[in-house]
Amino acid sequence: MGRDRLDTVSIANRGLNYGDGVFETMRVHRGALPLWPQHLARLREGAGRLGIAVPDVDFIEARIADMVSAVDAGVLKLLLTRGEGGRGYAPPADAVPTWMLSLQPLPEVLAGLRVHPCETRLSMQAALAGIKHCNRLEQVLGRAEAVRAGCDEGLMQDLAGNPVCATSANLLVLRDGRWRTPAVETCGVAGVLRAWLLAQDLVEVAAVPPEGLADADALALCNAVRGILPMRALGAREWSPHQATDELQARLAMAYPMFQHAGSKP
């Protein structure tokens, strides 16, 4: 398998066997990826932490353009694994990275999310925190809980019981007129849309204790595919639509018109 090829997955692929890889899930808008620079930066960060070489970026961008140039709206996933290796956890020194692209339609739109408080907790591992590595079993279990509860998403906590994020989105908490988001230094994913909100000083990083959600003025989720999604309910607690959420969505849509509509179902 060469670094400049689009490959299918071998049974010996370490991404399949051990989750040894990273991925990015990106919004396609009018034949382009508006947030590609941010996704590429996170891809490089994650691959660097795992010691996986990123294939030639010019080649990847050319293949992306081939795939999305005629697509008005969709979701593009880029998966990068360490490649093939023998049995055992030790990374082969000569492994050649494998990367793949897949294109899916956009999720359907929802006006507000019903979120299930998950029993499954996020393990705390600073070496993996923030990056989108391929071991997502905690999120798989959390989303399965949400589906069984008849909800749209699942809210996940760390081992100490502090709210961190949803299974596939970052958490935004409005209190006293200011949006806050939990830190992701020990667990959770550093979302590219979360990073944009922080850079624009629209959100700040702050600890959110377990009791800090029920009395919040509003809750929302955000990710780079669906934008900002107002949370209608968390368990039995419900919230009415809030003007601050509308304003935050409007600020995002001014910068990225692809998010001008209300949120989408996960």
Side-chain angles (χ1 to χ4, degrees), residues 124-179:
M124 300 168 76
Q125 173 52 265
L128 298 176
I131 65 175
K132 293 200 75 171
H133 58 80
C134 291
N135 189 329
R136 297 286 111 189
L137 287 177
E138 294 166 339
Q139 287 77 12
V140 169
L141 293 175
R143 183 58 69 88
E145 285 188 48
V147 170
R148 289 194 297 270
C151 292
D152 307 300
E153 247 288 11
L155 183 72
M156 306 195 75
Q157 301 170 301
D158 63 20
L159 295 177
N162 300 303
V164 177
C165 58
T167 65
S168 61
N170 288 114
L171 174 64
L172 305 177
V173 181
L174 181 69
R175 292 177 61 89
D176 303 321
R178 183 67 175 164
W179 286 101

Side-chain angles (χ1 to χ4, degrees), residues 199-224:
Q200 300 298 311
D201 196 31
L202 298 171
V203 174
E204 65 184 14
V205 175
V208 179
E211 65 276 9
L213 296 183
D215 61 351
D217 299 320
L219 297 177
L221 303 179
C222 70
N223 76 12

Side-chain angles (χ1 to χ4, degrees), residues 19-259:
D20 191 2
V22 291
F23 69 99
E24 293 292 327
T25 308
M26 301 165 282
R27 177 78 172 253
V28 180
H29 181 64
R30 297 181 179 175
L33 303 178
L35 288 167
W36 168 244
Q38 294 92 327
H39 285 288
L40 178 59
R42 187 173 60 184
L43 180 73
R44 284 173 162 158
E45 166 69 16
R49 281 207 229 165
L50 298 182
I52 298 174
V54 177
D56 181 75
V57 173
D58 289 339
F59 183 83
I60 292 177
E61 291 178 343
R63 301 290 77 74
I64 288 174
D66 289 343
M67 184 169 283
V68 307
S69 60
V71 178
D72 185 61
V75 179
L76 183 74
K77 182 173 183 177
L78 190 160
L79 175 65
L80 172 67
T81 78
R82 193 179 303 276
E84 295 183 21
R87 191 186 68 81
Y89 294 131
D94 58 351
V96 179
T98 299
W99 68 280
M100 291 158 282
L101 295 173
S102 60
L103 184 65
Q104 293 90 28
L106 276 178
E108 62 180 300
V109 172
L110 276 185
L113 299 179
R114 301 196 68 87
V115 178
H116 171 72
C118 295
E119 293 294 328
T120 303
R121 300 293 177 91
L122 294 171
S123 56
M124 300 168 76
Q125 173 52 265
L128 298 176
I131 65 175
K132 293 200 75 171
H133 58 80
C134 291
N135 189 329
R136 297 286 111 189
L137 287 177
E138 294 166 339
Q139 287 77 12
V140 169
L141 293 175
R143 183 58 69 88
E145 285 188 48
V147 170
R148 289 194 297 270
C151 292
D152 307 300
E153 247 288 11
L155 183 72
M156 306 195 75
Q157 301 170 301
D158 63 20
L159 295 177
N162 300 303
V164 177
C165 58
T167 65
S168 61
N170 288 114
L171 174 64
L172 305 177
V173 181
L174 181 69
R175 292 177 61 89
D176 303 321
R178 183 67 175 164
W179 286 101
R180 298 170 172 86
T181 188
V184 292
E185 275 74 31
T186 58
C187 59
V189 172
V192 301
L193 190 53
R194 172 184 181 272
W196 182 85
L197 291 168
L198 290 170
Q200 300 298 311
D201 196 31
L202 298 171
V203 174
E204 65 184 14
V205 175
V208 179
E211 65 276 9
L213 296 183
D215 61 351
D217 299 320
L219 297 177
L221 303 179
C222 70
N223 76 12
V225 169
R226 300 168 288 162
I228 296 169
L229 311 174
M231 195 182 300
R232 183 175 61 183
L234 176 62
R237 170 75 162 91
E238 296 193 357
W239 284 265
S240 299
H242 199 288
Q243 181 179 353
T245 308
D246 296 337
E247 292 171 352
L248 197 63
Q249 288 176 316
R251 289 288 299 272
L252 176 62
M254 286 177 64
Y256 296 102
M258 61 187 177
F259 295 124

